[in-house]
Amino acid sequence: MSEFDIPHHHTVGVGAGPANLSLAALFEAVAPHRLVLLERRPAASWHPQLLLSGVRMQTSWLKDLVSLVDPTHRLSFVNYMVSTGRIYALINAQFNVIPRREYQRYLAWASEQLDGIRYGVQVDEISYGEDVGFSYVSDGRTIARSDHLVLGLGSVPYVPPGLSGIQGDDAFVPEELAARLPAMDRAAPVSVVGGGQTGAECVMELLGAGFTDITWLGRRPWFQPMDDSPPANDFYRPAYVQFLQQVTRETRRRLVEGQTLTGDAITPGILQAIYQANYDGMLRLDRYPLTMRPGRDVTLAERDGDGFVLSATSATGHEKVAARYVVFATGRAFAPPPLAPALTELIDHDDAGQMIVDSDYSLRWKNADRNKIFVQNRARFTHGVADANLTLLPVRAATIINSLFEREVYTVRDAEPSVVWG
Ligand SMILES: Cc1cc2nc3c(=O)[nH]c(=O)nc-3n(C[C@H](O)[C@H](O)[C@H](O)COP(=O)(O)OP(=O)(O)OC[C@H]3O[C@@H](n4cnc5c(N)ncnc54)[C@H](O)[C@@H]3O)c2cc1C
């Protein structure tokens, strides 16, 4: 590709997960063909390796890519269901929350109808020049340029340093469980480390697959369910995001840290399913196939013969747990932004080394008045717990679009909330 053939776009989004798909859907309605998404996966998919048996969404289907700001948009979830002919079947199945597989299919259906998604493009580096804007390097070549950039990179599995040393065929992250399951010995001891939703889903998968010696270790004092109550859901409203913008950074961080269990916790339905499967297993085996060890901070994982030993601290001191297999459901970290060092230097960072995100999700940086950089799903401590999940996707996308086009293209309505925050 010669210099003259490199396409120049108004805006490039890196990543085509739900965050940037929502942006693309709303963009299309106001500025068709001006946004391109670059996605490293070969085709549309959403956490495909974590689609374990029977997994459910944690959020309502009303929280789709578009409806909260544009319910007449053709890419609404309801339109998807009607067009597949499954709407009546879905209603009659009376799900509290829909299967994750259905949401993934919805995303794939929406992606098919959006122009400008380029799959199989791993963006290795994004650089900047005042004369050309942002340049995207993939596989050693500059493949696109743009005036503006939206990072929608999502997250990657995280294993703490003390545990990561044993990773391999028999000690792995949840993304590998489905592939490794067929070769695993059902009678051998298996430990799942991590007391969140993904840990719970792995435990359920192992119980369902007939494992008879499972240990589940979690750091929290008990395997805590998600608070999905009405007051907890008030944190997932535009009014609350706006309120957070008015308080100091320190206060924001303190408030947001206290809200973790409203999103980053286990759905009550799967906890009930685990307890029931464990009870059924006990009736079969005369002992429980699953032992739960909450309040354990697993600090070290070491090899021991054919298996492993996990060292944990607990309320009563230290303990060791032997395992033939270990699943590390130990959380997720931001996917690293592929920004060239020279561009990173132009971006303002806070004392903790995090990029500073403004109220419109833009980054503060040297040339922000000409070329904007937005980040999706990276502003938990400025925009609240909703930023890390799907609940306010279209609201965030609308805010970005309004900022990019410097007018109120979309109106975000959250009228007269009954809670007065401050
Ligand atoms: C298993 C699971 C289930 C979840 N369920 C829910 C739920 O029910 N409700 C809820 O509110 N939240 C849920 N979440 C949390 C969150 O909403 C999701 O992680 C969501 O996918 C975030 O969307 P995203 O677009 O920001 O990131 P992602 O969906 O992770 O998408 C990011 C995309 O960017 C691509 N990418 C990254 N780096 C590059 C690069 N350098 N070049 C090109 N492409 C790149 C990736 O391949 C990926 O496709 C869940 C999370 C997980 C892990």
Side-chain angles (χ1 to χ4, degrees):
M1 198 184 283
S2 85
E3 182 63 23
F4 299 108
D5 296 331
I6 298 170
H8 191 109
H9 308 285
H10 178 276
T11 302
V12 160
V14 181
N20 270 349
L21 287 177
S22 174
L23 181 77
L26 295 182
F27 222 93
E28 178 201 69
V30 287
H33 316 299
R34 298 185 76 187
L35 169 76
V36 162
L37 300 185
L38 305 177
E39 166 59 55
R40 68 166 158 229
R41 292 204 167 115
S45 63
W46 181 61
H47 300 307
Q49 298 136 312
L50 293 172
L51 278 180
L52 302 173
S53 327
V55 286
R56 300 279 182 261
M57 295 297 290
Q58 290 191 298
T59 33
S60 157
W61 55 266
L62 274 170
K63 314 278 179 78
D64 65 10
L65 295 175
V66 291
S67 294
L68 289 181
V69 297
D70 185 1
T72 63
H73 199 290
R74 70 194 168 88
L75 297 183
S76 71
F77 182 77
V78 171
N79 193 24
Y80 158 70
M81 284 313 301
V82 171
S83 69
T84 59
R86 287 200 299 274
I87 184 78
Y88 300 103
L90 185 84
I91 292 170
N92 281 0
Q94 298 185 350
F95 290 110
N96 289 332
V97 274
I98 60 166
R100 230 157 50 215
R101 203 169 283 280
E102 189 65 277
Y103 184 76
Q104 193 202 35
R105 286 189 183 197
Y106 160 63
L107 293 180
W109 169 86
S111 306
E112 267 169 32
Q113 298 177 66
L114 288 165
D115 290 338
I117 307 180
R118 292 174 60 187
Y119 292 104
V121 180
Q122 155 84 37
V123 175
D124 299 319
E125 189 169 86
I126 306 169
S127 58
Y128 177 77
E130 289 198 349
D131 44 343
V132 292
F134 299 105
S135 298
Y136 303 85
V137 174
S138 178
D139 230 355
R141 288 184 311 130
T142 301
I143 50 138
R145 294 211 162 102
S146 72
D147 294 336
H148 309 288
L149 157 66
V150 184
L151 295 170
L153 307 169
S155 57
V156 289
Y158 170 76
V159 181
L163 313 186
S164 57
I166 63 163
Q167 272 181 273
D169 287 351
D170 296 334
F172 45 80
V173 293
E175 272 78 353
E176 295 178 39
L177 178 61
R180 301 212 182 267
L181 214 48
M184 289 166 68
D185 173 3
R186 293 330 192 231
V190 49
S191 284
V192 176
V193 185
Q197 177 72 10
T198 301
E201 289 174 3
C202 292
V203 166
M204 195 59 216
E205 185 76 2
L206 292 165
L207 282 168
F211 284 78
T212 56
D213 188 0
I214 309 163
T215 300
W216 187 16
L217 303 117
R219 192 187 275 150
R220 291 177 185 154
W222 73 97
F223 290 99
Q224 282 171 299
M226 193 167 85
D227 182 351
D228 196 21
S229 63
N233 275 294
D234 275 326
F235 299 134
Y236 297 80
R237 289 179 59 161
Y240 188 74
V241 178
Q242 277 160 20
F243 158 73
L244 274 185
Q245 305 312 298
Q246 296 158 23
V247 302
T248 63
R249 253 183 12 180
E250 292 69 30
T251 306
R252 246 183 344 226
R253 183 170 274 271
R254 182 175 48 75
L255 292 173
V256 171
E257 272 169 357
Q259 297 158 8
T260 302
L261 292 180
T262 65
D264 183 9
I266 311 170
T267 39
I270 194 168
L271 280 174
Q272 198 175 44
I274 287 172
Y275 271 71
Q276 291 179 2
N278 204 22
Y279 196 92
D280 281 340
M282 179 273 292
L283 293 175
R284 253 193 340 269
L285 302 168
D286 277 332
R287 61 176 178 78
Y288 288 102
L290 167 68
T291 307
M292 287 177 270
R293 290 176 181 264
R296 302 316 203 271
D297 191 3
V298 182
T299 51
L300 188 64
E302 295 166 292
R303 269 184 199 286
D304 182 29
D306 274 354
F308 307 99
V309 175
L310 304 176
S311 303
T313 53
S314 72
T316 50
H318 294 272
E319 65 187 24
K320 293 194 184 294
V321 175
R324 171 75 182 79
Y325 308 104
V326 182
V327 184
F328 291 117
T330 39
R332 302 186 70 82
F334 293 140
L339 300 173
L343 175 54
T344 305
E345 269 177 29
L346 302 178
I347 296 170
D348 290 1
H349 290 71
D350 64 17
D351 300 341
Q354 298 297 320
M355 299 187 289
I356 296 177
V357 185
D358 270 327
S359 57
D360 62 352
Y361 300 93
S362 67
L363 292 183
R364 278 189 213 163
W365 79 289
K366 184 166 170 271
N367 279 1
D369 52 334
R370 320 170 28 178
N371 303 101
K372 297 197 180 211
I373 308 175
F374 295 91
V375 286
Q376 305 230 53
N377 194 352
R378 270 192 125 82
R380 182 181 170 87
F381 288 115
T382 45
H383 291 68
V385 276
D387 198 62
N389 79 19
L390 305 171
T391 46
L392 291 183
L393 282 190
V395 171
R396 185 171 58 194
T399 308
I400 291 173
I401 289 171
N402 289 350
S403 170
L404 254 180
F405 293 100
E406 295 179 346
R407 64 189 171 90
E408 194 177 30
V409 179
Y410 288 103
T411 304
V412 174
R413 291 193 180 84
D414 186 6
E416 297 173 22
S418 56
V419 183
V420 179
W421 291 109

